[in-house]
Amino acid sequence: FYLTPPQVNSILKANEYSFKVPEFDGKNVSSVLGFDSNQLPANAPIEDRRSAATCLQTRGMLLGVFDGHAGCACAQAVSERLFYYIAVSLLPHETLLEIENAVENGRALLPILQWHKHPNDYFSKEASKLYFNSLRTYWQELIDLNSGETTDVREALINAFKRLDNDISLEAQVGDPNSFLNYLVLQVAFSGSTACVAHVDGVDLHIANTGDSRAMLGVQEEDGSWSAVNLSYDHNAQNEHEVERVKMEHPKSEEKNLVKQDRLLGLLMPFRAFGDVKFKWSIELQKRVVESGPDQLNDNEYTKFIPPNYHTPPYLTAEPEVIHHKLRPQDKFLVLATDGLWETMHRQDVARIVGEYLTGVHHQQPIAVGGYKVTLGQMHGLLTERRARISSVFEDQNAATHLIRHAVGNNEFGTVDHERLSKMLSLPEELARMYRDDITIIVVQFNSHVIGAY
């Protein structure tokens, strides 16, 4: 089945979103110029989510990608809730008091976040009251705990991640008299999601990561070439420190069963995640909740199933690893992406493709044919294609779309092959997931002038 270039473009551009930070009196005072984001589903429905918001009561911008598993319920809940928890964790005591007084007296609330959303990024209206009440309990506790010290961003991020995960677990245990909501909170808790979140405030960039999505910085070297700096570590079996951490948290007798076939208890790829209460609750609690839950839950084989060798839960945490980076003028952009991108592309290629896209300057790599026998005719074809690529302006208006086009359509020579792209995008739903994962990307562009002025 062959797609025409316009058909390919309409599929690739369906979920793209761009935001430019507004200028005041012709001056941009933010270290962020703007961002582009996009998603390409492989699962139906897509299990990835994305979020972006400006913090209105503190400075700074929040951006995040969330990769769901066992359904999209947990990724959806985390994508709409986590930034509120982070914002509340960062608020000064007086502002928390103002907000609490407003709720108490039925007055309008200070807006905490300005969301930057694509029309497809929806919020579950049915659960908003429940979510609000959990958040309010959190800020009430923060008011009671007031130590008078200003909150450290790193600490605020860790507290927000852990608290939201705790609330997801609690809501599922308490249940809800409304049967729709009851089923929703259980779906959220029994499915899972990773999270990779950036908080940018002036030259301070914090990345909080739970799971195996990634953050990468694009740096422009003095000769104009591009390099990539990792700002997160995958929490999976490939990370030796992570495997060690899991082993340290459980008795020696369990050591050989903790990680099997590169998965936690032989089942789960990420070693940190939100939700996934099957890896956190005791067996008694799991049974009690499933038995007293709605029938759909009781009929669901997955929720009844207890992982093998399950002795000393929790085996899983949502606590993020936080990395702080002071932005420099040569730091030009940040890429946040779910593992669907990193499975297909090396970070060095990601840095080069985005860097060239943002500057419009191609650095000619020598054509690499990687061990292939190439005829003169093929070589001529490659060079002609390369010339056409330079002369044509970039067809994408969005850096994330440009990256997805390469991730899905690159051939062995590192160029986008229309035929390959067409084949990959026309795979039927049940086959698509065998060839690629959902891909979600946010590309944040930094303002070198503002960063330099710091």
Side-chain angles (χ1 to χ4, degrees):
F1 186 63
Y2 196 70
L3 301 172
T4 62
Q7 286 172 318
V8 163
N9 282 345
S10 77
I11 293 171
L12 287 178
K13 293 169 188 268
N15 297 311
E16 66 180 15
Y17 177 84
S18 290
F19 175 76
K20 293 279 167 280
V21 173
E23 295 192 359
F24 301 98
D25 302 332
K27 280 198 180 68
N28 183 327
V29 290
S30 169
S31 55
V32 175
L33 280 170
F35 69 85
D36 291 338
S37 79
N38 200 351
Q39 294 190 295
L40 182 69
N43 291 296
I46 186 169
E47 294 184 341
D48 280 6
R49 292 293 185 269
R50 58 181 164 179
S51 293
T54 301
C55 300
L56 295 172
Q57 305 304 327
T58 57
R59 296 203 322 246
M61 194 171 201
L62 285 164
L63 306 112
V65 294
F66 311 94
D67 185 351
H69 45 264
C72 58
C74 189
Q76 175 60 42
V78 175
S79 73
E80 56 183 284
R81 302 178 71 180
L82 180 58
F83 288 6
Y84 282 114
Y85 279 71
I86 294 171
V88 162
S89 306
L90 286 166
L91 287 177
H93 187 244
E94 302 71 62
T95 314
L96 288 175
L97 281 174
E98 265 176 68
I99 293 174
E100 177 55 29
N101 287 335
V103 178
E104 194 67 33
N105 301 310
R107 289 199 312 274
L109 280 187
L110 285 172
I112 297 178
L113 295 172
Q114 177 197 350
W115 289 92
H116 310 299
K117 298 173 74 58
H118 185 279
N120 296 357
D121 303 339
Y122 92 113
F123 268 30
S124 60
K125 301 207 173 26
E126 303 82 8
S128 59
K129 195 168 173 353
L130 171 77
Y131 290 172
F132 178 79
N133 290 338
S134 292
L135 181 69
R136 185 183 178 190
T137 306
Y138 178 42
W139 82 54
Q140 286 171 334
E141 285 176 28
L142 288 174
I143 289 171
D144 293 342
L145 285 169
N146 173 35
S147 59
E149 291 160 28
T150 48
T151 323
D152 167 58
V153 177
R154 185 175 178 280
E155 216 171 297
L157 288 163
I158 293 172
N159 292 344
F161 272 62
K162 286 164 71 174
R163 177 57 182 236
L164 174 57
D165 192 51
N166 197 44
D167 283 355
I168 286 171
S169 172
L170 215 57
E171 288 157 3
Q173 290 172 49
V174 172
D176 196 282
N178 170 330
S179 61
F180 172 82
L181 269 184
N182 195 25
Y183 187 49
L184 177 78
V185 295
L186 290 161
Q187 271 184 307
V188 169
F190 277 92
S191 60
S193 177
T194 70
C196 187
V197 170
H199 179 265
V200 195
D201 177 7
V203 289
D204 288 303
L205 168 62
H206 285 85
I207 301 292
N209 182 50
T210 286
D212 52 11
S213 293
R214 277 185 208 165
M216 181 214 91
L217 197 60
V219 180
Q220 191 165 27
E221 304 298 342
E222 283 183 3
D223 64 357
S225 66
W226 295 94
S227 64
V229 176
N230 266 352
L231 287 181
S232 66
Y233 299 104
D234 295 356
H235 299 133
N236 57 22
Q238 272 61 60
N239 179 339
E240 288 168 25
H241 295 293
E242 200 55 14
V243 174
E244 272 316 299
R245 177 188 66 79
V246 171
K247 286 180 177 170
M248 293 285 291
E249 290 173 3
H250 298 277
K252 197 99 177 97
S253 56
E254 289 187 59
E255 197 166 295
K256 65 179 194 299
N257 295 315
L258 284 172
V259 179
K260 279 189 159 170
Q261 285 147 341
D262 281 352
R263 291 167 180 256
L264 189 63
L265 296 181
L267 297 166
L268 197 62
M269 288 286 271
F271 284 18
R272 302 190 193 196
F274 282 91
D276 281 319
V277 292
K278 298 202 66 55
F279 295 85
K280 293 173 182 170
W281 288 356
S282 68
I283 293 174
E284 300 73 52
L285 180 57
Q286 289 189 42
K287 284 185 172 154
R288 199 191 79 219
V289 170
V290 171
E291 280 161 16
S292 62
D295 296 340
Q296 303 105 299
L297 195 70
N298 226 327
D299 300 341
N300 182 334
E301 287 310 309
Y302 172 72
T303 49
K304 281 187 177 164
F305 163 81
I306 302 289
N309 305 301
Y310 196 79
H311 307 296
T312 54
Y315 288 90
L316 191 64
T317 176
E319 179 168 340
E321 193 168 6
V322 179
I323 289 180
H324 173 240
H325 176 82
K326 275 250 188 282
L327 290 170
R328 309 157 299 172
Q330 64 265 39
D331 300 332
K332 300 297 183 189
F333 60 88
L334 171 73
V335 177
L336 298 172
T338 54
D339 62 350
L341 173 69
W342 311 110
E343 282 165 6
T344 59
M345 291 187 88
H346 189 272
R347 63 176 182 271
Q348 204 46 58
D349 295 328
V350 170
R352 181 180 52 79
I353 287 165
V354 176
E356 289 179 356
Y357 170 85
L358 293 176
T359 55
V361 179
H362 273 293
H363 275 267
Q364 291 299 15
Q365 312 297 55
I367 281 191
V369 290
Y372 292 91
K373 284 196 167 68
V374 179
T375 64
L376 270 175
Q378 285 172 311
M379 199 54 161
H380 175 72
L382 280 170
L383 289 165
T384 316
E385 188 186 324
R386 165 139 124 182
R387 194 156 71 234
R389 215 166 66 234
I390 300 158
S391 61
S392 77
V393 290
F394 285 108
E395 56 193 309
D396 294 314
Q397 302 301 303
N398 178 303
T401 308
H402 186 66
L403 204 41
I404 290 175
R405 188 183 297 276
H406 277 270
V408 180
N410 266 3
N411 59 17
E412 60 272 32
F413 306 118
T415 60
V416 175
D417 173 348
H418 178 75
E419 198 172 321
R420 181 182 159 82
L421 195 53
S422 168
K423 279 182 187 159
M424 290 295 279
L425 293 179
S426 58
L427 289 169
E429 276 173 9
E430 58 279 7
L431 273 182
R433 186 60 189 90
M434 293 164 69
Y435 287 89
R436 56 183 177 83
D437 196 353
D438 296 329
I439 300 176
T440 297
I441 300 171
I442 301 177
V443 179
V444 186
Q445 206 178 341
F446 295 122
N447 188 336
S448 305
H449 300 299
V450 171
I451 290 168
Y454 270 86

mmCIF file of all heavy atoms in Angstrom, residues 380-412:
data_model
loop_
_atom_site.group_PDB
_atom_site.id
_atom_site.type_symbol
_atom_site.label_atom_id
_atom_site.label_comp_id
_atom_site.label_asym_id
_atom_site.label_seq_id
_atom_site.Cartn_x
_atom_site.Cartn_y
_atom_site.Cartn_z
ATOM 1 N N HIS A 380 25.876 7.865 -7.304
ATOM 2 C CA HIS A 380 25.413 9.070 -8.009
ATOM 3 C C HIS A 380 24.018 9.453 -7.481
ATOM 4 O O HIS A 380 23.745 10.627 -7.205
ATOM 5 C CB HIS A 380 25.368 8.805 -9.515
ATOM 6 C CG HIS A 380 24.796 9.957 -10.282
ATOM 7 N ND1 HIS A 380 25.485 11.139 -10.448
ATOM 8 C CD2 HIS A 380 23.589 10.121 -10.893
ATOM 9 C CE1 HIS A 380 24.727 11.980 -11.142
ATOM 10 N NE2 HIS A 380 23.577 11.390 -11.424
ATOM 11 N N GLY A 381 23.175 8.420 -7.310
ATOM 12 C CA GLY A 381 21.814 8.650 -6.800
ATOM 13 C C GLY A 381 21.840 9.300 -5.410
ATOM 14 O O GLY A 381 21.103 10.255 -5.131
ATOM 15 N N LEU A 382 22.722 8.771 -4.551
ATOM 16 C CA LEU A 382 22.831 9.300 -3.178
ATOM 17 C C LEU A 382 23.265 10.762 -3.188
ATOM 18 O O LEU A 382 22.737 11.598 -2.455
ATOM 19 C CB LEU A 382 23.860 8.485 -2.375
ATOM 20 C CG LEU A 382 23.370 7.157 -1.804
ATOM 21 C CD1 LEU A 382 24.557 6.369 -1.259
ATOM 22 C CD2 LEU A 382 22.355 7.383 -0.691
ATOM 23 N N LEU A 383 24.235 11.071 -4.054
ATOM 24 C CA LEU A 383 24.747 12.449 -4.103
ATOM 25 C C LEU A 383 23.703 13.406 -4.674
ATOM 26 O O LEU A 383 23.548 14.534 -4.218
ATOM 27 C CB LEU A 383 26.043 12.502 -4.929
ATOM 28 C CG LEU A 383 27.255 11.859 -4.236
ATOM 29 C CD1 LEU A 383 28.402 11.615 -5.209
ATOM 30 C CD2 LEU A 383 27.739 12.721 -3.061
ATOM 31 N N THR A 384 22.948 12.930 -5.681
ATOM 32 C CA THR A 384 21.899 13.770 -6.266
ATOM 33 C C THR A 384 20.833 14.063 -5.209
ATOM 34 O O THR A 384 20.353 15.193 -5.063
ATOM 35 C CB THR A 384 21.230 13.027 -7.458
ATOM 36 O OG1 THR A 384 22.242 12.423 -8.237
ATOM 37 C CG2 THR A 384 20.414 13.975 -8.312
ATOM 38 N N GLU A 385 20.483 12.995 -4.477
ATOM 39 C CA GLU A 385 19.448 13.132 -3.440
ATOM 40 C C GLU A 385 19.925 14.136 -2.380
ATOM 41 O O GLU A 385 19.167 14.967 -1.889
ATOM 42 C CB GLU A 385 19.210 11.759 -2.799
ATOM 43 C CG GLU A 385 18.032 11.716 -1.859
ATOM 44 C CD GLU A 385 17.950 10.359 -1.165
ATOM 45 O OE1 GLU A 385 18.273 9.336 -1.806
ATOM 46 O OE2 GLU A 385 17.579 10.336 0.016
ATOM 47 N N ARG A 386 21.208 14.033 -2.051
ATOM 48 C CA ARG A 386 21.769 14.926 -1.037
ATOM 49 C C ARG A 386 21.705 16.380 -1.521
ATOM 50 O O ARG A 386 21.354 17.271 -0.758
ATOM 51 C CB ARG A 386 23.211 14.510 -0.773
ATOM 52 C CG ARG A 386 24.025 15.530 -0.042
ATOM 53 C CD ARG A 386 24.864 14.825 0.967
ATOM 54 N NE ARG A 386 26.276 15.106 0.808
ATOM 55 C CZ ARG A 386 27.215 14.557 1.578
ATOM 56 N NH1 ARG A 386 26.894 13.711 2.501
ATOM 57 N NH2 ARG A 386 28.476 14.859 1.407
ATOM 58 N N ARG A 387 21.999 16.593 -2.818
ATOM 59 C CA ARG A 387 21.962 17.953 -3.342
ATOM 60 C C ARG A 387 20.529 18.488 -3.285
ATOM 61 O O ARG A 387 20.289 19.638 -2.910
ATOM 62 C CB ARG A 387 22.519 17.988 -4.763
ATOM 63 C CG ARG A 387 22.801 19.408 -5.204
ATOM 64 C CD ARG A 387 23.836 19.535 -6.293
ATOM 65 N NE ARG A 387 23.340 19.042 -7.570
ATOM 66 C CZ ARG A 387 23.960 18.129 -8.302
ATOM 67 N NH1 ARG A 387 25.081 17.604 -7.882
ATOM 68 N NH2 ARG A 387 23.476 17.724 -9.441
ATOM 69 N N ALA A 388 19.577 17.644 -3.660
ATOM 70 C CA ALA A 388 18.166 18.066 -3.656
ATOM 71 C C ALA A 388 17.741 18.432 -2.239
ATOM 72 O O ALA A 388 16.992 19.382 -2.009
ATOM 73 C CB ALA A 388 17.299 16.939 -4.201
ATOM 74 N N ARG A 389 18.283 17.656 -1.259
ATOM 75 C CA ARG A 389 17.879 17.873 0.132
ATOM 76 C C ARG A 389 18.374 19.227 0.623
ATOM 77 O O ARG A 389 17.704 19.903 1.392
ATOM 78 C CB ARG A 389 18.474 16.758 0.995
ATOM 79 C CG ARG A 389 17.583 16.348 2.125
ATOM 80 C CD ARG A 389 17.995 15.059 2.771
ATOM 81 N NE ARG A 389 19.272 15.131 3.442
ATOM 82 C CZ ARG A 389 20.283 14.298 3.206
ATOM 83 N NH1 ARG A 389 20.160 13.356 2.311
ATOM 84 N NH2 ARG A 389 21.411 14.401 3.872
ATOM 85 N N ILE A 390 19.553 19.641 0.170
ATOM 86 C CA ILE A 390 20.101 20.922 0.634
ATOM 87 C C ILE A 390 19.358 22.075 -0.029
ATOM 88 O O ILE A 390 19.056 23.078 0.599
ATOM 89 C CB ILE A 390 21.610 21.012 0.311
ATOM 90 C CG1 ILE A 390 22.335 19.866 1.009
ATOM 91 C CG2 ILE A 390 22.181 22.343 0.754
ATOM 92 C CD1 ILE A 390 23.651 19.540 0.394
ATOM 93 N N SER A 391 19.065 21.916 -1.360
ATOM 94 C CA SER A 391 18.468 23.037 -2.073
ATOM 95 C C SER A 391 17.022 23.260 -1.637
ATOM 96 O O SER A 391 16.535 24.382 -1.621
ATOM 97 C CB SER A 391 18.548 22.797 -3.576
ATOM 98 O OG SER A 391 17.825 21.619 -3.873
ATOM 99 N N SER A 392 16.324 22.180 -1.304
ATOM 100 C CA SER A 392 14.924 22.382 -0.895
ATOM 101 C C SER A 392 14.916 22.863 0.552
ATOM 102 O O SER A 392 15.688 22.387 1.369
ATOM 103 C CB SER A 392 14.158 21.068 -0.988
ATOM 104 O OG SER A 392 14.488 20.257 0.109
ATOM 105 N N VAL A 393 14.035 23.827 0.845
ATOM 106 C CA VAL A 393 13.934 24.237 2.253
ATOM 107 C C VAL A 393 13.309 23.076 3.011
ATOM 108 O O VAL A 393 12.644 22.231 2.413
ATOM 109 C CB VAL A 393 13.052 25.501 2.419
ATOM 110 C CG1 VAL A 393 13.741 26.715 1.852
ATOM 111 C CG2 VAL A 393 11.689 25.292 1.769
ATOM 112 N N PHE A 394 13.514 23.015 4.303
ATOM 113 C CA PHE A 394 12.952 21.902 5.073
ATOM 114 C C PHE A 394 11.432 21.874 4.907
ATOM 115 O O PHE A 394 10.773 22.895 5.035
ATOM 116 C CB PHE A 394 13.283 22.085 6.556
ATOM 117 C CG PHE A 394 14.702 21.765 6.871
ATOM 118 C CD1 PHE A 394 15.601 22.772 7.178
ATOM 119 C CD2 PHE A 394 15.160 20.457 6.855
ATOM 120 C CE1 PHE A 394 16.926 22.479 7.464
ATOM 121 C CE2 PHE A 394 16.477 20.160 7.138
ATOM 122 C CZ PHE A 394 17.368 21.174 7.440
ATOM 123 N N GLU A 395 10.884 20.671 4.660
ATOM 124 C CA GLU A 395 9.440 20.622 4.419
ATOM 125 C C GLU A 395 8.644 20.693 5.721
ATOM 126 O O GLU A 395 7.452 20.935 5.701
ATOM 127 C CB GLU A 395 9.083 19.363 3.643
ATOM 128 C CG GLU A 395 9.549 18.078 4.302
ATOM 129 C CD GLU A 395 9.466 16.889 3.354
ATOM 130 O OE1 GLU A 395 8.397 16.699 2.757
ATOM 131 O OE2 GLU A 395 10.465 16.165 3.230
ATOM 132 N N ASP A 396 9.299 20.473 6.838
ATOM 133 C CA ASP A 396 8.557 20.483 8.103
ATOM 134 C C ASP A 396 8.667 21.846 8.782
ATOM 135 O O ASP A 396 9.732 22.438 8.815
ATOM 136 C CB ASP A 396 9.106 19.401 9.041
ATOM 137 C CG ASP A 396 8.851 18.011 8.485
ATOM 138 O OD1 ASP A 396 7.719 17.769 8.046
ATOM 139 O OD2 ASP A 396 9.783 17.184 8.476
ATOM 140 N N GLN A 397 7.553 22.281 9.358
ATOM 141 C CA GLN A 397 7.545 23.533 10.118
ATOM 142 C C GLN A 397 7.803 23.256 11.598
ATOM 143 O O GLN A 397 7.771 24.161 12.417
ATOM 144 C CB GLN A 397 6.170 24.227 9.980
ATOM 145 C CG GLN A 397 5.776 24.537 8.552
ATOM 146 C CD GLN A 397 6.787 25.438 7.880
ATOM 147 O OE1 GLN A 397 7.061 26.538 8.364
ATOM 148 N NE2 GLN A 397 7.369 24.987 6.775
ATOM 149 N N ASN A 398 7.982 21.977 11.939
ATOM 150 C CA ASN A 398 8.028 21.574 13.341
ATOM 151 C C ASN A 398 9.215 20.627 13.532
ATOM 152 O O ASN A 398 9.327 19.613 12.841
ATOM 153 C CB ASN A 398 6.685 20.894 13.664
ATOM 154 C CG ASN A 398 6.576 20.374 15.079
ATOM 155 O OD1 ASN A 398 7.384 19.573 15.526
ATOM 156 N ND2 ASN A 398 5.534 20.788 15.769
ATOM 157 N N ALA A 399 10.108 20.957 14.485
ATOM 158 C CA ALA A 399 11.331 20.169 14.678
ATOM 159 C C ALA A 399 11.026 18.728 15.101
ATOM 160 O O ALA A 399 11.727 17.785 14.718
ATOM 161 C CB ALA A 399 12.224 20.844 15.718
ATOM 162 N N ALA A 400 9.961 18.542 15.898
ATOM 163 C CA ALA A 400 9.615 17.188 16.363
ATOM 164 C C ALA A 400 9.123 16.330 15.192
ATOM 165 O O ALA A 400 9.437 15.139 15.099
ATOM 166 C CB ALA A 400 8.558 17.271 17.465
ATOM 167 N N THR A 401 8.359 16.940 14.285
ATOM 168 C CA THR A 401 7.872 16.219 13.095
ATOM 169 C C THR A 401 9.059 15.814 12.226
ATOM 170 O O THR A 401 9.132 14.686 11.719
ATOM 171 C CB THR A 401 6.926 17.134 12.269
ATOM 172 O OG1 THR A 401 5.924 17.653 13.133
ATOM 173 C CG2 THR A 401 6.275 16.378 11.125
ATOM 174 N N HIS A 402 9.998 16.737 12.068
ATOM 175 C CA HIS A 402 11.195 16.488 11.263
ATOM 176 C C HIS A 402 11.968 15.283 11.816
ATOM 177 O O HIS A 402 12.449 14.419 11.071
ATOM 178 C CB HIS A 402 12.057 17.750 11.290
ATOM 179 C CG HIS A 402 13.237 17.686 10.382
ATOM 180 N ND1 HIS A 402 13.120 17.629 9.005
ATOM 181 C CD2 HIS A 402 14.579 17.656 10.650
ATOM 182 C CE1 HIS A 402 14.332 17.565 8.472
ATOM 183 N NE2 HIS A 402 15.239 17.581 9.438
ATOM 184 N N LEU A 403 12.024 15.209 13.149
ATOM 185 C CA LEU A 403 12.733 14.114 13.812
ATOM 186 C C LEU A 403 11.978 12.789 13.633
ATOM 187 O O LEU A 403 12.587 11.740 13.376
ATOM 188 C CB LEU A 403 12.869 14.456 15.296
ATOM 189 C CG LEU A 403 13.980 13.817 16.115
ATOM 190 C CD1 LEU A 403 15.291 13.758 15.366
ATOM 191 C CD2 LEU A 403 14.140 14.549 17.443
ATOM 192 N N ILE A 404 10.650 12.824 13.751
ATOM 193 C CA ILE A 404 9.845 11.602 13.563
ATOM 194 C C ILE A 404 10.002 11.096 12.117
ATOM 195 O O ILE A 404 10.121 9.895 11.879
ATOM 196 C CB ILE A 404 8.354 11.855 13.906
ATOM 197 C CG1 ILE A 404 8.198 12.049 15.427
ATOM 198 C CG2 ILE A 404 7.483 10.688 13.438
ATOM 199 C CD1 ILE A 404 6.787 12.417 15.889
ATOM 200 N N ARG A 405 10.031 12.033 11.167
ATOM 201 C CA ARG A 405 10.200 11.649 9.751
ATOM 202 C C ARG A 405 11.501 10.842 9.594
ATOM 203 O O ARG A 405 11.531 9.813 8.908
ATOM 204 C CB ARG A 405 10.252 12.919 8.895
ATOM 205 C CG ARG A 405 10.234 12.677 7.392
ATOM 206 C CD ARG A 405 10.366 13.985 6.623
ATOM 207 N NE ARG A 405 9.257 14.894 6.842
ATOM 208 C CZ ARG A 405 8.097 14.851 6.184
ATOM 209 N NH1 ARG A 405 7.897 13.903 5.264
ATOM 210 N NH2 ARG A 405 7.135 15.722 6.438
ATOM 211 N N HIS A 406 12.568 11.301 10.253
ATOM 212 C CA HIS A 406 13.852 10.582 10.180
ATOM 213 C C HIS A 406 13.796 9.264 10.953
ATOM 214 O O HIS A 406 14.334 8.247 10.505
ATOM 215 C CB HIS A 406 14.985 11.460 10.731
ATOM 216 C CG HIS A 406 15.520 12.416 9.715
ATOM 217 N ND1 HIS A 406 16.556 12.102 8.869
ATOM 218 C CD2 HIS A 406 15.133 13.674 9.385
ATOM 219 C CE1 HIS A 406 16.803 13.126 8.069
ATOM 220 N NE2 HIS A 406 15.960 14.097 8.360
ATOM 221 N N ALA A 407 13.169 9.278 12.124
ATOM 222 C CA ALA A 407 13.129 8.071 12.968
ATOM 223 C C ALA A 407 12.424 6.929 12.246
ATOM 224 O O ALA A 407 12.814 5.767 12.356
ATOM 225 C CB ALA A 407 12.415 8.376 14.282
ATOM 226 N N VAL A 408 11.383 7.261 11.484
ATOM 227 C CA VAL A 408 10.572 6.218 10.842
ATOM 228 C C VAL A 408 11.040 5.940 9.419
ATOM 229 O O VAL A 408 10.939 4.815 8.932
ATOM 230 C CB VAL A 408 9.067 6.633 10.849
ATOM 231 C CG1 VAL A 408 8.218 5.570 10.180
ATOM 232 C CG2 VAL A 408 8.587 6.851 12.275
ATOM 233 N N GLY A 409 11.597 6.958 8.747
ATOM 234 C CA GLY A 409 11.883 6.799 7.324
ATOM 235 C C GLY A 409 13.340 6.667 6.923
ATOM 236 O O GLY A 409 13.647 6.491 5.745
ATOM 237 N N ASN A 410 14.281 6.745 7.899
ATOM 238 C CA ASN A 410 15.701 6.672 7.524
ATOM 239 C C ASN A 410 16.068 5.319 6.920
ATOM 240 O O ASN A 410 15.659 4.273 7.438
ATOM 241 C CB ASN A 410 16.590 6.916 8.751
ATOM 242 C CG ASN A 410 16.992 8.378 8.863
ATOM 243 O OD1 ASN A 410 16.568 9.213 8.072
ATOM 244 N ND2 ASN A 410 17.810 8.690 9.845
ATOM 245 N N ASN A 411 16.877 5.347 5.854
ATOM 246 C CA ASN A 411 17.396 4.093 5.301
ATOM 247 C C ASN A 411 18.806 3.838 5.836
ATOM 248 O O ASN A 411 19.275 4.587 6.704
ATOM 249 C CB ASN A 411 17.394 4.146 3.763
ATOM 250 C CG ASN A 411 18.232 5.298 3.234
ATOM 251 O OD1 ASN A 411 19.053 5.871 3.960
ATOM 252 N ND2 ASN A 411 18.028 5.643 1.978
ATOM 253 N N GLU A 412 19.469 2.824 5.305
ATOM 254 C CA GLU A 412 20.784 2.472 5.868
ATOM 255 C C GLU A 412 21.832 3.547 5.612
ATOM 256 O O GLU A 412 22.906 3.533 6.203
ATOM 257 C CB GLU A 412 21.259 1.104 5.339
ATOM 258 C CG GLU A 412 21.405 1.021 3.837
ATOM 259 C CD GLU A 412 20.100 0.601 3.143
ATOM 260 O OE1 GLU A 412 19.015 0.948 3.643
ATOM 261 O OE2 GLU A 412 20.185 -0.075 2.104
#
